Amino acid sequence: CPSTNPSATPANKAMMAVKGRNAIVIAPSPAGQGTTARVVEMMRDELTRAGHPADLVQVLPLPVSKSLTQALMEACDLIVVTGSQDNVRRAYRSGKPAIGVGTGNVPVIVDSSADLAAAAAKIRDSKIFDNATSCSSENALIVLDNVYDAAIAALKESGGYLATPEEKAAIRAKLWVNGALNRQIIAKDASVFAEMTGLPAEARNAKFFMVEESGVGPDHPFSGEKLSLALALYRAKDFDAAIARVREILAFQGAGHSCGLHTRDMNHARRLAAELDVVRVLVNQ
């Protein structure tokens, strides 16, 4: 289980395991083992209350280590692995059947017909859930040009802070260290994020932080998954350009995962569902 999502992931995996008539032994990240152990305790209590064996859901004894997790992977029948790419690769090398998760990097389109106030509120609520550590959290917004300024105003009204180019550079310098996400800043509260990145006092009360971006790929790290309250903003001249940008972002990171759309035009929703290679297209969610 990833340290950034030590409560939701165990519950999700345990439900799938028990639905399939399996027991599950959960191996938490050392950084999140206290939270995971508490969640497992709660699930075991509910199993007992419902008349089922508590041992359908178990957790490795604390303290957890990579070597203990490796031993579990080599002993079990099936591995369902979430978290870092190192976790996934270790599972695939274990010699046991493994289902690994890919990176989430969800791009969301706001089109010209969207209810901007409602969209901004929903984007905020999704972005700040668990401090943006969910793989389904918005990582980029692609806003059509003719509603861009109004959408930014709505996002600000909902608690977003728009960084200046200089502040964007400061966020980038703190959020990535030697090309990797900084474990000291990801998954942190908004006030901590603002302080660590040196944002001004007015940003300390924001709920999330927006940075304008124009490129995609390794030279534009804001186009990837950020596991933090940073949200990339893109302009698109029309809906075709927005779809092209979504494809570009997902090809860089997040292929096959999810995308979203805020719209009143269900033909746009049907186009996304038909044309994009993703598991889910979320509409006005």
Side-chain angles (χ1 to χ4, degrees):
C1 298
S3 60
T4 50
N5 231 326
S7 55
T9 298
N12 179 267
K13 304 305 184 200
M15 284 191 290
M16 290 193 288
V18 173
K19 282 181 181 180
R21 301 174 67 85
N22 301 285
I24 186 169
V25 183
I26 294 169
S29 163
Q33 58 188 340
T35 300
T36 298
R38 176 71 182 113
V39 169
V40 170
E41 180 185 357
M42 293 166 73
M43 288 191 283
R44 289 171 61 86
D45 287 346
E46 288 303 308
L47 285 166
T48 300
R49 188 178 65 82
H52 304 300
D55 283 347
L56 285 172
V57 180
Q58 302 175 45
V59 65
L60 285 180
L62 309 185
V64 175
S65 64
K66 282 192 174 183
S67 60
L68 196 59
T69 299
Q70 190 68 35
L72 174 64
M73 291 195 294
E74 293 170 1
C76 69
D77 300 304
L78 172 69
I79 305 163
V80 182
V81 57
T82 301
S84 69
Q85 291 306 296
D86 178 61
N87 284 359
V88 174
R89 293 186 183 104
R90 287 163 69 93
Y92 288 164
R93 291 195 298 263
S94 69
K96 290 299 179 75
I99 300 171
V101 66
T103 300
N105 184 33
V106 180
V108 174
I109 297 172
V110 179
D111 80 6
S112 303
S113 70
D115 180 332
L116 297 179
K122 290 172 181 177
I123 290 162
R124 174 203 62 213
D125 290 348
S126 177
K127 183 64 181 172
I128 67 176
F129 173 75
D130 276 357
N131 285 347
T133 55
S134 167
C135 60
S136 296
S137 178
E138 282 85 348
N139 271 280
L141 294 185
I142 301 95
V143 184
L144 267 62
D145 192 63
N146 62 350
V147 294
Y148 187 86
D149 292 338
I152 299 305
L155 289 161
K156 287 180 177 179
E157 186 69 21
S158 289
Y161 177 84
L162 180 61
T164 66
E166 294 77 17
E167 290 165 351
K168 175 186 173 182
I171 293 171
R172 175 174 174 169
K174 286 289 186 179
L175 191 50
W176 287 274
V177 177
N178 296 324
L181 283 169
N182 180 0
R183 293 181 65 87
Q184 302 305 312
I185 195 171
I186 61 174
K188 293 293 192 291
D189 289 347
S191 59
V192 177
F193 183 96
E195 183 176 354
M196 291 185 71
T197 54
L199 293 175
E202 63 187 279
R204 306 292 165 91
N205 295 321
K207 296 182 181 297
F208 60 98
F209 307 93
M210 302 177 287
V211 296
E212 293 183 297
E213 185 55 86
S214 59
V216 175
D219 294 332
H220 303 274
F222 285 106
S223 65
E225 188 178 42
K226 294 169 277 296
L227 296 175
S228 68
L229 294 168
L231 178 64
L233 298 176
Y234 292 86
R235 285 179 181 260
K237 66 179 181 179
D238 55 29
F239 195 66
D240 288 338
I243 292 177
R245 181 65 83 185
V246 167
R247 279 206 182 94
E248 190 180 6
I249 290 169
L250 291 173
F252 168 55
Q253 204 173 86
H257 200 286
S258 311
C259 70
L261 170 66
H262 292 275
T263 187
R264 290 188 177 99
D265 185 345
M266 289 302 106
N267 287 326
H268 280 178
R270 284 186 278 271
R271 272 195 66 190
L272 279 186
E275 296 180 18
L276 288 175
D277 295 324
V278 291
V279 172
R280 293 171 295 208
V281 175
L282 299 176
V283 182
N284 297 327
Q285 297 293 309

